[in-house]
């Protein structure tokens, strides 16, 4: 329970994938978790799940692609629940598309959620973290930031941006007691992969079927445990790192 008394905000925490697992992992370590998601209903479902397990939790609708919304909601959350000490920038979307036929809209949609949304959420919580001399920020990158991926140029570019942002911000705010880290998941089973397998490119499916060095596919909990560690006191001397959680699918 080393996160007892800490308030954490998780973006896109209402999905059945990594976001929900992160909420559960932080709550298991004692944090008060505010589950946010573009869908208020999904966020509330996960918060209710946490409350049923006896964990203090709340939920809020938060679309990370709206700056006014991000600023307003983060302010409200801090007023209602106390200073935000842990931020997990989990929101990210993938829209597989070859560069040859990629529209500006597709490029922007991925960039806006994966990169700009992360920047906005981070900027909204940083002043309080700096003033209080404590903060833990964990960003979701991807192994594609390092490996690249067919039909994933926009997503891989955004996630490489997440890695560089993480390192740069870590340098900026370390003296204020704030650590900034990222995790780079491999292929983790989630709603999208489970339900839309036929829409995935053959390359992605091949990677999924070929498996990892550990001989099994990744689960959201595999990633969530590492994020909870990075948010904890045990990781207090870790900053600017991007931890691959790929089961050995890809090694940085
Ligand atoms: N699943 C993987 O294989 C994998 C691999 C590498 C990286 N990642 C990254 O991990 C993170 C979590 O991925 P996941 O697939 O487990 O999804 P998830 O289940 O954690 O998240 C899905 C949720 O995202 C929400 N969402 C979508 N757009 C949003 C927005 N604009 N604002 C707020 N919420 C929004 C949806 O409502 C949904 O509830 C993402 O950043 C993703 O890029 C995932």
């Amino acid at each position: 329970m080393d996160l007892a008394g800490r308030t954490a905000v998780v973006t896109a925490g209402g999905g059945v994938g990594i976001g929900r697992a992160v909420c559960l992992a932080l709550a298991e370590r004692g944090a008060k978790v505010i589950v946010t998601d573009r869908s208020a209903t999904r966020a509330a479902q996960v918060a209710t799940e946490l409350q049923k397990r006896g964990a203090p939790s709340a939920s809020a609708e938060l679309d990370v692609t709206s700056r006014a919304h991000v600023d307003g909601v983060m302010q409200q959350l801090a007023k209602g629940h106390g200073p935000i000490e842990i931020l997990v920038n989990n929101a990210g979307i993938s829209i597989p598309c070859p560069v040859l036929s990629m529209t500006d809209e597709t490029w922007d949609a991925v960039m806006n959620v994966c990169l700009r949304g992360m920047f906005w959420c981070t900027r909204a919580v940083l002043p309080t973290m700096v003033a209080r001399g404590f903060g833990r920020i964990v960003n979701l990158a991807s192994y594609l930031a390092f490996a690249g991926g067919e039909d994933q140029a926009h997503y891989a570019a955004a996630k490489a941006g997440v890695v560089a942002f993480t390192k740069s911000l870590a340098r900026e705010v370390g003296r204020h007691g704030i650590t900034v880290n990222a995790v780079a998941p491999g292929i983790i089973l989630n709603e999208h992969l489970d339900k839309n397998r036929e829409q995935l490119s053959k390359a992605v499916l091949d990677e999924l079927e070929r498996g990892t060095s550990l001989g099994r596919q990744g689960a959201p909990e595999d990633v969530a445990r590492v994020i909870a560690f990075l948010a904890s006191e045990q990781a207090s001397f870790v900053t600017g790192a991007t931890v691959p959680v790929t089961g050995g699918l890809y090694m940085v």
Side-chain angles (χ1 to χ4, degrees):
M1 301 293 277
D2 55 351
L3 297 181
R6 301 271 184 223
T7 300
V9 167
V10 179
T11 68
V16 298
I18 294 168
R20 171 183 164 276
V22 170
C23 293
L24 293 175
L26 294 176
E28 267 170 24
R29 295 181 90 135
K32 174 179 184 177
V33 179
I34 304 171
V35 186
T36 72
D37 199 283
R38 183 177 59 176
S39 156
T41 313
R42 282 169 160 253
Q45 277 166 357
V46 174
T48 303
E49 193 181 345
L50 296 183
Q51 286 155 7
K52 279 188 185 153
R53 294 173 185 223
S57 180
S59 67
E61 181 181 338
L62 175 62
D63 182 343
V64 302
T65 64
S66 159
R67 182 171 54 189
H69 198 197
V70 168
D71 290 344
V73 170
M74 291 299 189
Q75 261 183 18
Q76 276 174 16
L77 292 180
K79 263 193 203 150
H81 302 281
I84 296 160
E85 297 164 300
I86 299 167
L87 171 67
V88 180
N89 282 308
N90 174 67
I93 57 164
S94 159
I95 309 174
C97 180
V99 173
L100 271 172
S101 58
M102 194 181 297
T103 61
D104 290 356
E105 287 72 24
T106 300
W107 173 271
D108 287 347
V110 169
M111 286 289 161
N112 286 344
V113 180
C114 292
L115 196 51
R116 195 181 244 197
M118 179 206 57
F119 161 56
W120 282 343
C121 292
T122 302
R123 188 179 56 182
V125 303
L126 262 185
T128 306
M129 287 184 175
V130 168
R132 300 182 76 246
F134 180 86
R136 295 278 182 270
I137 298 172
V138 186
N139 300 320
L140 268 292
S142 164
Y143 80 107
L144 293 177
F146 306 101
E150 187 185 338
D151 298 344
Q152 294 285 1
H154 46 349
Y155 181 80
K159 294 299 190 181
V162 170
V163 172
F165 179 89
T166 298
K167 290 179 186 172
S168 304
L169 183 64
R171 291 188 187 279
E172 273 183 42
V173 298
R175 298 283 159 88
H176 298 287
I178 302 167
T179 66
V180 190
N181 292 292
V183 292
I187 296 171
I188 306 297
L189 291 178
N190 67 4
E191 209 173 14
H192 180 71
L193 290 179
D194 278 351
K195 291 191 186 154
N196 302 303
R197 290 173 77 88
E198 70 283 357
Q199 288 175 20
L200 296 170
S201 75
K202 188 175 177 317
V204 172
L205 276 177
D206 282 350
E207 270 180 314
L208 187 63
E209 300 305 340
R210 198 165 49 236
T212 63
S213 305
L214 292 175
R216 70 173 176 88
Q217 290 162 358
E221 292 72 25
D222 291 315
V223 182
R225 277 193 294 272
V226 178
I227 292 174
F229 165 71
L230 290 171
S232 76
E233 278 311 303
Q234 288 157 336
S236 60
F237 204 54
V238 181
T239 197
T242 296
V243 182
V245 189
T246 67
L249 172 73
Y250 180 80
M251 300 186 191
V252 178

